[in-house]
Amino acid sequence: MEFTIDQIAQLLDGNVEGDGSTKINRLDKIQEGTAGSIGFLANLTYEKHLYQTQCSAILVSENFQPQKETTATLIRVKDPYIGFTKLLETYQKITKPELIGTENPSFKHESSTIGANFFRGAFSYIGRDCSIGDNVKIYPQVYIGDQVTIGDNCIFHPGVKLYSGTIVGNNCEIQAGSVIGSDGFGFAPQADGTYKNIPQLGNVILEDNVSIGANTTVDCATLGATRIGKGVKIDNLVQIAHNVILGENTVIASQAGISGSTTLGKNCVLAGKSGIVGHIQLADRTTVGANTGIMKTVKEPGKTFLGYIGMDIKSYLKSYSIFKKLPLLENKLRELEKKL
Amino acid sequence: MEFTIDQIAQLLDGNVEGDGSTKINRLDKIQEGTAGSIGFLANLTYEKHLYQTQCSAILVSENFQPQKETTATLIRVKDPYIGFTKLLETYQKITKPELIGTENPSFKHESSTIGANFFRGAFSYIGRDCSIGDNVKIYPQVYIGDQVTIGDNCIFHPGVKLYSGTIVGNNCEIQAGSVIGSDGFGFAPQADGTYKNIPQLGNVILEDNVSIGANTTVDCATLGATRIGKGVKIDNLVQIAHNVILGENTVIASQAGISGSTTLGKNCVLAGKSGIVGHIQLADRTTVGANTGIMKTVKEPGKTFLGYIGMDIKSYLKSYSIFKKLPLLENKLRELEKKL
Amino acid sequence: MEFTIDQIAQLLDGNVEGDGSTKINRLDKIQEGTAGSIGFLANLTYEKHLYQTQCSAILVSENFQPQKETTATLIRVKDPYIGFTKLLETYQKITKPELIGTENPSFKHESSTIGANFFRGAFSYIGRDCSIGDNVKIYPQVYIGDQVTIGDNCIFHPGVKLYSGTIVGNNCEIQAGSVIGSDGFGFAPQADGTYKNIPQLGNVILEDNVSIGANTTVDCATLGATRIGKGVKIDNLVQIAHNVILGENTVIASQAGISGSTTLGKNCVLAGKSGIVGHIQLADRTTVGANTGIMKTVKEPGKTFLGYIGMDIKSYLKSYSIFKKLPLLENKLRELEKKL
């Protein structure tokens, strides 16, 4: 692709400051670009790069006031980050070939149906009685079990596994290697110290606009459904146990884990490596810090937790700051004891 | 399937209280069921649901005394949870079609043998000189390397990978995407700061009745075997390093990890995200709390640990309760200093 | 294979003490070997096993002075551990059949090229316009997307997924189920509480001699490259987020995670379950303890950190030792208060 700066400004409804006829053929970070690149400046901690950038054009905010000279042509837009995201999307549409058709060998049981404009990669598998919508892209080595229902515009990257009975809404995307619908971890202890497997008969429901990262696992429910709400975004290597329910637009970062039968509200944020015990509820907009464990139901919405056993974040940081100087405290205490 | 309440009571050796002729066609949670559902009440914290349930029948304990009226027919059994598990198993047997035969294309080297009543899914792979028992179900995209030995009644869900030389006992089940026998993480530091790979020549042995979750990894031994004892249950995304030995009936929850050459006794329980360092031993019935790190050998059986560096659980909780109020302690100390 | 002890001593440039004509056909641990085994003694905490070993031969250090008698023939070498590693390598070369050729069915787009001496396993997939070097072993069910470049002597174990655009150097090895190049976790929050996917247009570059464990995930960059430096060793179930840069010879143990846009120097060591936040830098030779979180840039090379929020390791251990006796401290404080 190659566009002039003027053409890009028109696409983004922006104003050009400098030579608008320069050709652009690449998107780059402001600090890494070269001639022909367009970058952006949203966070002003990166402003110093503007005065050294080799990019030919930089998106800046409408009201931005440069402190020094820059060789780059500026395009002033309402929100440079959103503008740049729009360019990324446009670039992706133009450069990424659309996948269509069936690669062979691949496997689809005759009882299953798939809509228009599909892609089925080599060594992908579709079991019995599946119903799959339009514009669904099934990469190589994907497994779709029996009685799976999938909406429109979904993408399953290589090696994704959907167990039988999984239900997927519209516009969902799952990165490579993730497993949806594996058996929940349910074992009944027996008198002799052994454990007996408890059949896991439920399924997993992904509502619309769900994104799931790579090598993540979502277990099916024992009965009923493990439900991932509309617009939920889940990162890599996350564990979602059986019968978990995630509210709309909740975001879960890498290596976090949620134990069985726990329910999260809407717009919660779980940072990396955080863990939530089973059978509790988190209110809407709960934020859980990195590596933080939540052991009890949170009823009040909008709270933020941090700590090995999660505490209010301010309290935790205060306690931790004193933890750091415990040797000092101990010494003071000793001195006081001596004095008395 | 459809059975009368009387028929179900007979299966479970229970007594009916109410209309035994009602038809049941579904298993449900007590709080989610509708007409035609059967549920159960084992944990009395759920008792309130009994008086509002829409289920047609509920399994209760022989001695249970309802506090209010319920519209559901009761079936009194010795243990409602065990009874319900039996119903789940029966339901699964009736409803889940048995997988038999070979889907094509699939790959099996001519030198390998497989017993009666097998299933080999499309795109599954069996290497050279494997010996596989009866009633083994190999789902699509499973990889079984060379010289692998597998007992009877095993299930390998889609995409499971068994490296060459793996030995699997009877009645084992592995969920999708798990890797058994990957090279241990062994590298010899060289004088120039680089690392040299140490060949990993051992294997993994899974004894009878082992269950492994999804996307879990079990490394082969450098020499000898990484051994998963009889009846061990492992959840999703767990890491078992080279030369680890797990005693019988040990249970390991999601995202836990065990470092190289560590040995666990029988009937240990590792909660989610717990971690055990390498080259130590844990005695029988050791319990390790969530996100807890164990750094030293535990010789006394039956102890429970909690904490970033695992401590006796009671001591940890006591210390942590004071950690929470460290700012208060610090203030008190300051006041004392002023007074003196 | 079968060699005399004399032949092995010659290979390792060592001196025999005892009967050099005994035949050896197995490598074993000193405490597990039997007649025909060779073992080694490097770490003297294992010395007691020397006097009870059933091994026929043991590698010991040139200067080692046995305290008691042993039935094993000794081979004295400069470094018994390095010597044993050399034997492991030799054993592996002799016993492991070299994989060559193409198993069918497998998939390679006609536009892609692969060098001499390759192996392509059944159900493996190579997309368009890939360039693959010599001696590359692609196990069954591996996925290699479009425009992927791979150097010489690389091994991709079963089910590895390389997204389109990935670049792999020479002598790299990736264990089963790992995903390289999955989309970074980038979502722009919208005014209505939903999130919009940000296209991830970059790639992943693995430099020479990189080893990656099983079921690990390495995300592609939003723009530019996520870069894994020369000689980096990564264990199982590790998360490397978008735009991370890892310096040469850095080692990362299982279940560790690095958030987006963070840069690590050379020869860093990350222990199991450690976590590094996004957008920071760690200096060369930084060591991060197990389950430790690093929240800030580390400028000084060679430091070691430990703790929930990483502290200097000595300070952390001191504080933690006092944390353990906080109840005692609290009591002392109470007594002091009473006295005053």
Side-chain angles (χ1 to χ4, degrees):
Chain A
M1 85 156 196
E2 194 168 77
F3 297 98
T4 65
I5 292 176
D6 282 336
Q7 287 172 318
I8 291 170
Q10 204 178 345
L11 176 76
L12 300 179
D13 203 13
N15 294 310
V16 175
E17 225 170 278
D19 180 4
S21 68
T22 307
K23 298 265 175 63
I24 296 296
N25 55 31
R26 223 167 34 255
L27 295 140
D28 263 315
K29 293 188 210 164
I30 190 168
Q31 67 271 39
E32 291 181 356
T34 55
S37 299
I38 184 165
F40 75 106
L41 175 63
N43 181 339
L44 290 185
T45 61
Y46 288 84
E47 185 180 344
K48 62 177 179 189
H49 296 298
L50 178 65
Y51 311 114
Q52 300 160 357
T53 190
Q54 303 298 311
C55 289
S56 298
I58 298 291
L59 300 184
V60 297
S61 164
E62 283 171 343
N63 319 308
F64 173 69
Q65 300 286 355
Q67 305 298 312
K68 301 185 195 170
E69 290 217 352
T70 171
T71 58
T73 296
L74 302 184
I75 305 178
R76 293 187 174 279
V77 293
K78 207 169 172 188
D79 183 323
Y81 184 60
I82 289 177
F84 198 72
T85 303
K86 194 169 175 187
L87 288 188
L88 288 170
E89 284 166 1
T90 309
Y91 184 89
Q92 193 177 38
K93 267 184 205 149
I94 295 168
T95 58
K96 210 177 167 181
E98 201 192 7
L99 294 165
I100 302 246
T102 304
E103 288 177 349
N104 281 311
S106 53
F107 184 102
K108 184 177 83 64
H109 192 272
E110 55 185 8
S111 59
S112 291
T113 61
I114 185 162
N117 209 26
F118 66 83
F119 173 65
R120 296 201 291 117
F123 318 123
S124 66
Y125 181 99
I126 301 174
R128 292 158 191 269
D129 303 318
C130 294
S131 167
I132 303 179
D134 292 339
N135 303 311
V136 172
K137 310 302 176 183
I138 299 167
Y139 275 77
Q141 300 144 345
V142 165
Y143 168 84
I144 296 173
D146 301 335
Q147 284 104 35
V148 171
T149 303
I150 297 172
D152 297 334
N153 312 315
C154 291
I155 304 173
F156 302 100
H157 287 273
V160 163
K161 312 295 179 209
L162 305 182
Y163 274 56
S164 294
T166 300
I167 296 173
V168 180
N170 300 307
N171 314 313
C172 291
E173 182 165 5
I174 306 182
Q175 301 294 323
S178 282
V179 173
I180 312 298
S182 37
D183 280 4
F185 195 58
F187 301 95
Q190 306 295 299
D192 62 355
T194 65
Y195 292 86
K196 198 174 170 182
N197 295 27
I198 295 172
Q200 304 289 317
L201 302 182
N203 71 341
V204 175
I205 299 174
L206 307 184
E207 294 180 359
D208 293 349
N209 307 327
V210 167
S211 296
I212 295 182
N215 283 351
T216 277
T217 57
V218 182
D219 281 350
C220 75
T222 310
L223 285 172
T226 301
R227 181 178 290 268
I228 311 298
K230 204 173 158 182
V232 165
K233 307 297 175 188
I234 298 177
D235 199 355
N236 301 344
L237 295 169
V238 169
Q239 153 75 351
I240 308 289
H242 50 172
N243 292 93
V244 163
I245 294 176
L246 301 181
E248 290 182 18
N249 304 319
T250 275
V251 172
I252 302 179
S254 181
Q255 297 176 322
I258 305 178
S259 300
S261 301
T262 280
T263 299
L264 269 68
K266 299 179 186 177
N267 292 89
C268 293
V269 176
L270 271 56
K273 292 182 185 290
S274 57
I276 319 293
V277 298
H279 298 273
I280 67 169
Q281 287 83 43
L282 300 195
D284 293 351
R285 291 175 288 111
T286 300
T287 297
V288 181
N291 209 2
T292 294
I294 301 294
M295 318 297 276
K296 286 184 193 164
T297 285
V298 174
K299 289 189 176 165
E300 196 185 331
K303 293 200 72 179
T304 299
F305 296 89
L306 191 67
Y308 178 77
I309 299 175
M311 295 166 53
D312 167 79
I313 184 168
K314 279 185 190 165
S315 307
Y316 184 83
L317 290 173
K318 213 174 257 177
S319 280
Y320 201 77
S321 71
I322 301 171
F323 170 85
K324 286 189 190 175
K325 53 186 184 185
L326 276 180
L328 202 73
L329 248 77
E330 195 190 29
N331 279 343
K332 279 186 185 171
L333 198 59
R334 267 195 207 130
E335 280 168 30
L336 285 177
E337 284 182 316
K338 274 183 202 159
K339 283 188 186 168
L340 281 170
Chain B
M1 81 157 199
E2 194 169 75
F3 297 98
T4 64
I5 292 176
D6 282 337
Q7 287 172 319
I8 291 170
Q10 203 179 345
L11 176 77
L12 301 179
D13 204 12
N15 294 311
V16 175
E17 224 169 279
D19 180 3
S21 67
T22 307
K23 298 264 174 66
I24 296 295
N25 55 31
R26 222 166 37 255
L27 294 140
D28 263 314
K29 294 188 211 164
I30 190 169
Q31 67 270 42
E32 291 181 357
T34 54
S37 300
I38 184 165
F40 75 106
L41 175 63
N43 181 337
L44 290 185
T45 62
Y46 288 85
E47 185 179 345
K48 60 177 179 190
H49 295 299
L50 179 64
Y51 310 116
Q52 300 160 356
T53 190
Q54 304 298 312
C55 289
S56 297
I58 299 290
L59 300 184
V60 297
S61 165
E62 283 171 342
N63 320 308
F64 173 68
Q65 300 287 354
Q67 305 298 310
K68 301 187 197 169
E69 289 218 350
T70 170
T71 58
T73 296
L74 302 184
I75 305 178
R76 295 189 172 277
V77 293
K78 208 169 171 186
D79 184 323
Y81 183 60
I82 290 177
F84 198 72
T85 302
K86 195 170 175 187
L87 288 188
L88 288 169
E89 284 166 0
T90 308
Y91 184 88
Q92 193 177 39
K93 267 185 205 147
I94 295 168
T95 58
K96 210 176 168 182
E98 201 193 6
L99 293 165
I100 303 244
T102 303
E103 287 177 348
N104 282 312
S106 53
F107 184 103
K108 184 177 83 64
H109 192 272
E110 56 185 8
S111 58
S112 290
T113 61
I114 185 161
N117 209 26
F118 66 83
F119 172 66
R120 296 202 290 118
F123 318 123
S124 65
Y125 181 100
I126 300 174
R128 291 158 191 268
D129 303 319
C130 294
S131 167
I132 304 178
D134 293 338
N135 304 309
V136 172
K137 310 302 176 183
I138 299 168
Y139 274 77
Q141 301 144 342
V142 165
Y143 168 85
I144 296 173
D146 300 336
Q147 284 104 35
V148 172
T149 303
I150 297 172
D152 297 334
N153 312 314
C154 291
I155 304 173
F156 303 100
H157 288 272
V160 164
K161 312 296 179 207
L162 305 181
Y163 275 56
S164 294
T166 301
I167 296 173
V168 180
N170 300 306
N171 314 312
C172 291
E173 181 165 6
I174 306 182
Q175 301 294 323
S178 282
V179 174
I180 312 297
S182 38
D183 280 5
F185 196 58
F187 301 94
Q190 306 295 299
D192 62 355
T194 65
Y195 292 86
K196 198 174 170 182
N197 294 26
I198 296 171
Q200 304 289 317
L201 302 181
N203 71 341
V204 175
I205 299 174
L206 307 184
E207 295 181 358
D208 293 348
N209 308 327
V210 167
S211 296
I212 294 182
N215 283 351
T216 277
T217 57
V218 182
D219 281 350
C220 75
T222 310
L223 285 171
T226 301
R227 180 178 291 270
I228 311 297
K230 202 174 159 181
V232 165
K233 307 296 174 187
I234 298 177
D235 200 353
N236 300 346
L237 296 168
V238 169
Q239 153 74 350
I240 309 289
H242 50 173
N243 291 94
V244 163
I245 294 176
L246 301 182
E248 290 181 17
N249 304 318
T250 275
V251 173
I252 302 179
S254 181
Q255 298 176 321
I258 305 179
S259 300
S261 300
T262 280
T263 298
L264 268 68
K266 299 179 186 178
N267 292 89
C268 294
V269 176
L270 270 57
K273 293 180 184 291
S274 57
I276 319 293
V277 298
H279 298 272
I280 67 169
Q281 287 83 44
L282 300 196
D284 292 351
R285 291 175 287 111
T286 300
T287 298
V288 181
N291 209 2
T292 294
I294 301 294
M295 318 297 277
K296 286 185 193 163
T297 285
V298 174
K299 289 191 174 163
E300 195 186 330
K303 293 200 74 179
T304 299
F305 296 88
L306 191 68
Y308 179 78
I309 300 175
M311 294 166 53
D312 168 78
I313 184 168
K314 279 185 191 167
S315 307
Y316 184 83
L317 289 174
K318 215 175 255 177
S319 279
Y320 201 76
S321 71
I322 300 171
F323 170 85
K324 287 188 191 176
K325 52 185 185 186
L326 275 180
L328 201 73
L329 248 78
E330 195 190 29
N331 280 343
K332 280 186 186 171
L333 197 60
R334 267 194 209 132
E335 281 168 29
L336 285 177
E337 284 183 316
K338 275 182 202 160
K339 283 189 185 168
L340 281 170
Chain C
M1 86 156 196
E2 194 168 78
F3 297 97
T4 64
I5 291 176
D6 282 337
Q7 286 172 319
I8 291 170
Q10 204 177 346
L11 175 76
L12 300 179
D13 203 14
N15 295 311
V16 175
E17 224 170 280
D19 179 3
S21 67
T22 307
K23 298 264 175 66
I24 295 296
N25 55 31
R26 221 165 37 254
L27 294 141
D28 264 313
K29 294 189 209 163
I30 190 169
Q31 66 270 41
E32 291 181 356
T34 55
S37 300
I38 184 165
F40 75 106
L41 175 63
N43 181 338
L44 291 185
T45 61
Y46 288 84
E47 185 179 346
K48 61 178 178 187
H49 296 297
L50 179 64
Y51 311 116
Q52 299 160 357
T53 190
Q54 303 298 310
C55 290
S56 298
I58 298 291
L59 300 184
V60 298
S61 163
E62 283 171 344
N63 319 308
F64 173 70
Q65 300 286 353
Q67 304 298 309
K68 301 187 196 170
E69 289 218 352
T70 170
T71 59
T73 296
L74 301 184
I75 305 179
R76 293 187 173 279
V77 293
K78 208 170 172 188
D79 184 324
Y81 183 61
I82 289 176
F84 198 71
T85 302
K86 194 168 175 187
L87 288 187
L88 288 170
E89 284 166 0
T90 308
Y91 184 89
Q92 192 177 39
K93 267 184 206 148
I94 295 169
T95 58
K96 209 176 168 180
E98 200 192 5
L99 293 166
I100 303 245
T102 304
E103 287 177 348
N104 281 312
S106 52
F107 183 103
K108 184 177 83 65
H109 192 271
E110 55 185 10
S111 59
S112 290
T113 61
I114 185 162
N117 209 27
F118 66 83
F119 173 65
R120 296 201 291 117
F123 319 122
S124 65
Y125 182 100
I126 300 174
R128 291 158 192 269
D129 304 319
C130 294
S131 167
I132 304 178
D134 292 338
N135 304 309
V136 172
K137 310 301 176 185
I138 299 168
Y139 274 77
Q141 300 144 344
V142 165
Y143 168 86
I144 296 174
D146 300 336
Q147 283 104 36
V148 172
T149 303
I150 297 172
D152 296 334
N153 313 314
C154 292
I155 305 173
F156 303 100
H157 287 272
V160 164
K161 313 294 178 207
L162 305 181
Y163 275 54
S164 293
T166 301
I167 296 173
V168 180
N170 300 306
N171 314 313
C172 291
E173 181 165 6
I174 306 182
Q175 301 294 323
S178 281
V179 174
I180 311 297
S182 38
D183 280 4
F185 196 57
F187 300 94
Q190 306 295 300
D192 62 355
T194 65
Y195 292 86
K196 200 174 169 182
N197 295 26
I198 296 171
Q200 304 289 316
L201 302 181
N203 71 342
V204 175
I205 299 174
L206 307 184
E207 295 181 359
D208 293 348
N209 307 327
V210 168
S211 296
I212 294 181
N215 282 351
T216 276
T217 57
V218 183
D219 281 349
C220 75
T222 310
L223 285 171
T226 302
R227 181 179 290 270
I228 311 298
K230 203 174 158 181
V232 165
K233 307 295 175 190
I234 299 176
D235 200 354
N236 301 346
L237 295 168
V238 170
Q239 154 74 349
I240 308 288
H242 50 173
N243 292 94
V244 162
I245 295 177
L246 301 181
E248 291 182 16
N249 303 319
T250 275
V251 172
I252 301 179
S254 181
Q255 297 175 322
I258 305 178
S259 299
S261 301
T262 280
T263 298
L264 268 68
K266 300 179 185 178
N267 292 90
C268 293
V269 176
L270 270 55
K273 292 180 185 292
S274 56
I276 319 292
V277 298
H279 299 272
I280 67 169
Q281 288 82 44
L282 300 195
D284 292 351
R285 291 176 287 109
T286 300
T287 298
V288 181
N291 209 1
T292 294
I294 300 294
M295 318 297 276
K296 287 184 193 164
T297 285
V298 174
K299 289 190 176 164
E300 195 185 330
K303 293 199 73 179
T304 299
F305 296 88
L306 191 68
Y308 178 78
I309 299 176
M311 295 166 53
D312 168 80
I313 184 166
K314 279 186 189 164
S315 308
Y316 184 83
L317 290 174
K318 214 175 256 176
S319 280
Y320 201 76
S321 71
I322 300 171
F323 170 86
K324 286 188 189 176
K325 52 185 184 185
L326 276 181
L328 202 72
L329 249 76
E330 195 190 29
N331 280 343
K332 280 185 184 171
L333 197 59
R334 268 194 208 132
E335 280 167 31
L336 285 177
E337 284 183 315
K338 276 183 202 159
K339 283 188 185 168
L340 281 169

